[in-house]
């Protein structure tokens, strides 16, 4: 029950926001959540966004948002991304932003132990 609740809460967060910054040091946790959205043409997933420069990230976000797509950016740590610039872009375009941090990974249940969002 708790596992299903966790999954439905996370999916609700993703569906209600325009830009999702998804962070976790556990690669399987990130893959687990974005795998649900890989085939969705209305969502642009920018994996390992921390490997891109700020202008590339903002250009991809701006392009996707102008096409009315949601954007999911992934990184190990939120501090690796230009959050202030992303937040400014969201404000300009009147889009919502959320950071979801997945913590730990349960090998048995194949789910993150917990998450926080802000």
């Amino acid at each position: 029950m708790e596992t299903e609740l966790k999954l439905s809460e996370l999916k609700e967060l993703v569906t209600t926001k325009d830009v999702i910054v998804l962070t976790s040091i556990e690669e399987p946790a990130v893959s687990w959540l974005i795998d649900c959205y890989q085939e969705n043409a209305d969502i642009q997933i920018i994996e390992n966004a921390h490997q891109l420069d700020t202008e590339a990230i903002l250009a991809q976000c701006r392009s996707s948002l102008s096409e009315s797509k949601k954007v999911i950016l992934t990184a190990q740590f939120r501090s690796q991304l230009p959050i202030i610039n992303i937040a400014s872009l969201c404000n300009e375009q009147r889009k919502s932003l959320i950071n979801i941090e997945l913590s730990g990974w349960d090998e048995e249940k194949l789910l993150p132990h917990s998450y926080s969002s802000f």
Side-chain angles (χ1 to χ4, degrees):
M1 178 78 173
E2 183 180 319
T3 299
E4 291 170 9
L5 181 61
K6 190 182 301 184
L7 179 58
S8 66
E9 287 174 349
L10 277 172
K11 286 187 174 186
E12 179 68 21
L13 287 173
V14 171
T15 59
T16 59
K17 302 299 178 184
D18 300 303
V19 177
I20 299 96
V21 174
L22 180 62
T23 58
S24 179
I25 60 171
E26 301 288 340
E27 183 63 35
V30 172
S31 296
W32 164 80
L33 188 57
I34 64 173
D35 283 351
C36 300
Y37 302 100
Q38 289 289 13
E39 302 300 318
N40 190 329
D42 295 329
I43 298 178
Q44 169 71 40
I45 298 174
I46 305 171
E47 292 187 67
N48 300 311
H50 60 282
Q51 295 174 350
L52 302 173
D53 66 26
T54 299
E55 289 308 312
I57 292 171
L58 294 176
Q60 286 187 33
C61 286
R62 186 174 286 112
S63 173
S64 294
L65 292 172
S66 69
E67 296 172 12
S68 297
K69 290 184 177 182
K70 291 181 179 293
V71 179
I72 299 176
L73 301 111
T74 72
Q76 286 184 320
F77 304 100
R78 188 171 63 100
S79 61
Q80 294 173 313
L81 297 173
I83 293 297
I84 293 173
N85 302 68
I86 295 168
S88 294
L89 175 63
C90 289
N91 284 339
E92 275 174 31
Q93 297 197 8
R94 301 206 188 301
K95 302 292 183 178
S96 57
L97 168 68
I98 190 165
N99 182 72
I100 300 173
E101 188 172 301
L102 304 173
S103 302
W105 182 249
D106 186 328
E107 285 293 332
E108 193 173 297
K109 295 179 182 175
L110 298 178
L111 290 170
H113 287 298
S114 64
Y115 74 91
S116 58
S117 60
F118 47 95

